[in-house]
Each structure stands twice: as C-alpha cells, then as structure tokens.
Amino acid sequence: MLSHAFLARTPLAVIVIAQLFGTSLWFSVNGVGLALREAVGLSESDLGLLTIAVQAGFISGTLAIATSGLADRIRASHLFAISAVLGALINAAFIGVAESVTLAAVARFATGLCLAGIYPLGMKLVVSWTPSHAGAALGWLVGMLTLGIASPHLLRGLTLHLPWQWPLLLASLLALVAALMIFKLGVGPHLPATAKSGRPWAGLAAFRQPRFRAAALGYFGHCWELYALWALVPFLVARELERLGASNGAQPWLSFLVIALGLPGCVLAGKWSRQIGSDRVACIALATSGALCLVYPLLSSASPWLLLTLLGVWGISVIADSAQFSALASATAPPERLGAALAMMNAIGFGLTIPSIALVTALWSSQSLAVIWWLLPGPILGLLAMRGFSAHAIAINNRG
C-alpha cells in the first residue's frame, strides 16, 4: 500500500491520477453506447437522455454542496473519497437497470451527484497543494478529467469481445482506487481544511468580483460547447469510418483518441499560461474551437481523413481553456469560500451543457454535421465575456 509520506511528496501526481480514475464514471455508459443499442435497443435520443441525466445530477450535486457550504465545511479529501465510493457502487448498479430507460436515467443522475464531490473538490485539493502554479497544475487536473471521460472508450476497446458490462465494472474499480488515494493524501497546507461556517449561497458572493465574473462567463461559453462535442464524438467518428468503409471496431479507439488528445492540450496550455497568462491562453483555445465549430460542417464532403484530423485538433483545443478559466476563477474568488465558488461556477456551467447536449443528440439524425453550428454561440459569447476580464485587468494596472 502507498504510505502517507510517499503521497505527500507527490501530491499533484496523486490528485490528477485519482481524478483520472474517479471521472472514468462520467461517460462510462457512452463508452458502451453502441453495444447498448444492440443489446437493449437504446436509441441516440435515449443515450442523449442518459448523458443529460449525469449532467443534471452533477449540477444538482454541485448546487447542493455550494449552497449548503459542504464544499468548505467537510474536509475535501473525505468528501472526494465518499463520493468516489458511492459513485463506483451506483455505476455498477446501472448494469441491473439498463433495460429500463427510466431507471437507467435515475442511476446516471445519482452517478452525476457523486461526481459533484469529485471534480470541484479535486480543483480545491490542487489549489491547497500548489497555489503558486494553479494554471499549470489545474491543466494537469483537467487533462486527467479529459482522459477519464475518454477512458470508457478505451475500456470498451480493450474489452470489445467481452460483454458490455465489463467496461462499467472496470470504471467502478478505478473509482474505488481513486477514493483510497485521496483519503490517504488529505488536504494541502495552503488552504484551511474546513471552513467554520457555511452561509447558504456563499458561492454567489464571488460573482461580485468583476474578474471572477468575467472568467466564469467565459467558462460558461466553453461549457456550452465542450460536453455536447464529447457526446457527438462517437457519432462523428462513426460517420467517417462508414465513409472509409472501415470496421466499426475502430470506433471506440478513435473516439478515445479524439477526446484523450485533450490531455496534452491541457498540459501544454498550462505551461504556456506561465509565459503569457491564463487569460490569453483561454481566449486562444476558445477561438480555435469556435473556428472549428464554424468550419467543420462546411467540409462535410471533404476527405474523411481531413475531418478526422480536424476532429483531433478540436479534441485538443476544446478542453485546453477549461483549466485556465478555473485558474482565473480560483485566483479571483474569496479564498475562504473557494470550494463554494468553484462548485457554483461548475453548477451553472454544467447546467448549460444540458440544452446543448439535448440539441445535438436529438437533431443528429436529421441534421448530421449541421448540428455543430448549435455549439457556436458558446465560444462567441465566452470570448465576448473575456473582454471584460482583460479590460478590468488594464484598469487595475492603470490605477496602480
């Protein structure tokens, strides 16, 4: 077993690996989506509903821990560990209710509730250990979130000739390992382990800060695009494989690759942020993914290889800004309410993922690539919001 002394020497590595393992629960059902369509007759809309259920659970959970003050009153490592254990059990229980769309949606909603104790608390744990390099450290964290979300496709690829239940069970096992790692690590020295009191809706107070508000609005635009694109990736990959006349067996591997490319994107963005600032990196990444939103449907008849290459570029850019928005929010939120502020920002941002996922999954069969244009308002509005962040920074510098 890993000793506490070893864990304390490598806190960032422990947190990001635990984040990878814990967030493998997020898209665990999407990884076996094609198999579920064949085994229990789920449609694209049903799969979209299950994805939305996870998002709704995550939003409800983040609102609950933000408004109750639990994000700052309970030791972050304990809340993370409890959430990961419960999430693992519920994710495994999905196997028994998969044939009922209603019960399956309830199980995915409950999984989302548990994820609310993993992702925002992971951000708080990172800041508690490495506050001076939050942009780079959160780049690793969000990169591992991306890899965690991609991992169900990898697990499916590795178990392609086994029943569809196997990837779900493996994801649950990884979440249990994550719980153990974080429980042993504990909270870093740079933030209080708990807050003495939790005022309801304390997280909203951070929105009074103009720079936090601008960063949060930029994050909201990013969220509108991100998860809807990730939900579309299996369909986009399958479209190009069909045009190539290739086997569907390659679909899980390519879907994993497209999403997993976000990991190096996040890490490189984190390193770059130390040179030019998190705000500039976030805007460049958001502008790149926004340009792809605009251009990709116009190339519907282009070479499948070109579209798959662009999809890879999109996989890199669409998530590269996420950690930078979180770093900007962490730097401008009240330290004593950091957990609540990040949880509230996450809740609102993920709330915006529900209509975007619903739109693209419901309209895919009728609009095909044209559904991507429904994602374009997110990057546009996010970039407009970030103008306020830069303008306020200039005003502060001028006063100084």
Side-chain angles (χ1 to χ4, degrees):
M1 301 297 290
L2 295 175
S3 68
H4 178 76
F6 173 79
L7 295 175
R9 287 196 299 269
T10 57
L12 180 58
V14 173
I15 295 168
V16 299
I17 292 172
Q19 183 86 334
L20 163 63
F21 290 172
T23 54
S24 66
L25 303 174
W26 211 311
F27 270 32
S28 59
V29 170
N30 298 69
V32 295
L34 294 180
L36 283 173
R37 288 169 60 183
E38 298 174 0
V40 300
L42 294 183
S43 66
E44 289 92 343
S45 296
D46 293 333
L47 292 172
L49 173 64
L50 297 183
T51 304
I52 290 170
V54 178
Q55 303 301 90
F58 180 82
I59 295 159
S60 301
T62 49
L63 280 174
I65 64 174
T67 57
S68 66
L70 288 176
D72 296 300
R73 292 167 63 188
I74 296 180
R75 194 172 181 87
S77 55
H78 291 177
L79 187 53
F80 185 110
I82 293 168
S83 301
V85 170
L86 291 175
L89 297 175
I90 295 167
N91 184 66
F94 173 88
I95 294 171
V97 299
E99 294 186 3
S100 167
V101 175
T102 301
L103 292 177
V106 171
R108 295 309 289 162
F109 178 87
T111 303
L113 285 174
C114 296
L115 286 164
I118 295 175
Y119 180 41
L121 275 298
M123 287 193 288
K124 182 176 181 179
L125 286 166
V126 164
V127 174
S128 78
W129 285 99
T130 58
S132 60
H133 305 300
L138 288 172
W140 275 102
L141 186 80
V142 177
M144 285 301 186
L145 163 70
T146 306
L147 199 58
I149 286 175
S151 65
H153 298 290
L154 174 63
L155 294 176
R156 184 53 185 162
L158 293 171
T159 60
L160 194 58
H161 300 296
L162 295 174
W164 60 265
Q165 293 90 341
W166 276 89
L168 294 176
L169 294 174
L170 290 173
S172 290
L173 178 60
L174 291 175
L176 292 176
V177 174
L180 179 61
M181 292 172 68
I182 292 298
F183 184 79
K184 281 182 165 289
L185 175 66
V187 178
H190 299 290
L191 286 175
T194 61
K196 292 183 179 180
S197 63
R199 182 166 50 86
W201 301 101
L204 287 176
F207 285 86
R208 297 173 186 164
Q209 304 292 332
R211 299 184 78 197
F212 176 88
R213 187 168 61 246
L217 290 173
Y219 176 77
F220 298 158
H222 151 80
C223 284
W224 175 267
E225 176 195 14
L226 175 63
Y227 279 82
L229 175 64
W230 279 347
L232 279 178
V233 163
F235 302 118
L236 295 171
V237 168
R239 177 186 185 271
E240 303 315 317
L241 289 176
E242 182 179 354
R243 293 175 66 207
L244 287 168
S247 167
N248 275 339
Q251 188 267 346
W253 295 100
L254 284 176
S255 297
F256 167 76
L257 178 61
V258 168
I259 299 174
L261 281 171
L263 170 60
C266 287
V267 173
L268 291 174
K271 291 182 177 180
W272 199 15
S273 70
R274 298 177 67 175
Q275 299 174 17
I276 67 172
S278 291
D279 54 334
R280 292 182 180 177
V281 172
C283 288
I284 291 170
L286 195 57
T288 301
S289 60
L292 286 165
C293 275
L294 177 64
V295 171
Y296 198 93
L298 298 175
L299 300 173
S300 60
S301 59
S303 164
W305 292 112
L306 173 62
L307 288 176
L308 287 172
T309 300
L310 289 177
L311 197 55
V313 174
W314 206 348
I316 294 171
S317 62
V318 74
I319 186 64
D321 49 355
S322 186
Q324 305 316 309
F325 284 126
S326 296
L328 294 170
S330 298
T332 52
E336 70 278 7
R337 290 289 175 261
L338 178 59
L342 292 176
M344 186 65 68
M345 185 179 81
N346 279 188
I348 297 171
F350 279 80
L352 294 170
T353 70
I354 290 180
S356 63
I357 291 171
L359 276 171
V360 299
T361 54
L363 297 177
W364 169 259
S365 59
S366 60
Q367 295 188 7
S368 189
L369 294 189
V371 300
I372 290 172
W373 281 326
W374 290 103
L375 307 182
L376 192 54
I380 292 174
L381 295 177
L383 288 169
L384 290 175
M386 284 301 291
R387 293 176 63 188
F389 187 96
S390 300
H392 193 75
I394 291 170
I396 291 174
N397 291 335
N398 287 342
R399 287 199 298 270

